[in-house]
Amino acid sequence: MKIATWNINGVRARIDALVAWLKESNPDIACLQEIKTVDEGFPRAELEALGYHVETHGQKGFNGVAILSRLKPDEIIRGLPGDDEDLQSRFIEGVFSVKGGAIRVCSIYLPNGNPTGTEKYSYKLAWMERLRVHAEARLRLEEPLILAGDYNVIPEPHDCWDVKIWENDALFLPPTRNAFRKLENLGFTDAVRATNDTTPLYTFWDYQAGCWPKNFGIRIDHLMLSAEALDKIVSTSIEKHVRAWEKPSDHVPVIGEFAFEAA
DNA sequence: ATGGTAGACCCTCTA
């Protein structure tokens, strides 16, 4: 079973690329971020025509997340618990029945946090703490749990092309990486690093300043696995070729292949 | 010289 994450930077601008990628890679579950539309504006018919169930948590103009799935979800939770005042659409969670039980998959669009030293950065850190609290509660279910998404976190120096450029950025500052490490310390494993060595791997190349042709990228899109999900991981792939497509997102999909079977 | 691009959308914000 293939479970993927992709920040598509606007689902309506990216529908042709999304359909082409789904046909090519055929993921069983695709977590999307930055759909940048309200639920009613989501191009669901094109995706249902490919055999996907479509669950969205949209927002006008910014943010917004979705889960596409071959299996019909048993349950969907919209919004990250822990702050009723937070109106930004950055989290959706689905439960799916597989042979032997259930798996739980979350599509996460973690706040960027720049500029640092502002309420945007404190919002990022507060959001990461809410994610940690929610993830800790979900771990007690002892299910395969996959937290998939755009974390806006560069975990290690070798996950960016030049650490000097990023060392003071909200994506790399020590409090950001410490909060990410706290999530790992709960018992989550970075699927790409569990299946690859420490060579540089990127999932995002800025549109600006020729970052893509120069391979000036960063790795910020992650599949974080509970122990029960890590037991089932077979391989991962970063779909780098998608960045070279016409009208690309600035992020590429990350796919995990798991030894789950449909119920 | 403080650049450069992209998406959504009311013209400026977010990234």
Side-chain angles (χ1 to χ4, degrees), chain A residues 74-91:
Chain A
D74 300 327
E75 188 185 352
I76 291 288
I77 295 106
R78 290 179 176 77
L80 180 64
D83 183 359
D84 295 338
E85 310 284 292
D86 183 3
L87 300 177
Q88 298 190 32
S89 296
R90 296 177 172 276
F91 182 92

Side-chain angles (χ1 to χ4, degrees), chain A residues 107-119:
Chain A
S107 180
I108 289 169
Y109 180 45
L110 207 144
N112 177 291
N114 283 304
T116 59
T118 69
E119 69 289 342

Side-chain angles (χ1 to χ4, degrees), chain A residues 5-22:
Chain A
T5 182
W6 190 14
N7 179 323
I8 48 170
N9 190 20
V11 69
R12 287 183 292 182
R14 212 72 60 216
I15 186 61
D16 291 347
L18 177 57
V19 167
W21 174 69
L22 290 170

Side-chain angles (χ1 to χ4, degrees), chain A residues 46-58:
Chain A
E46 290 90 327
L47 306 173
E48 287 171 348
L50 296 177
Y52 286 98
H53 295 273
V54 177
E55 297 288 348
T56 62
H57 183 43

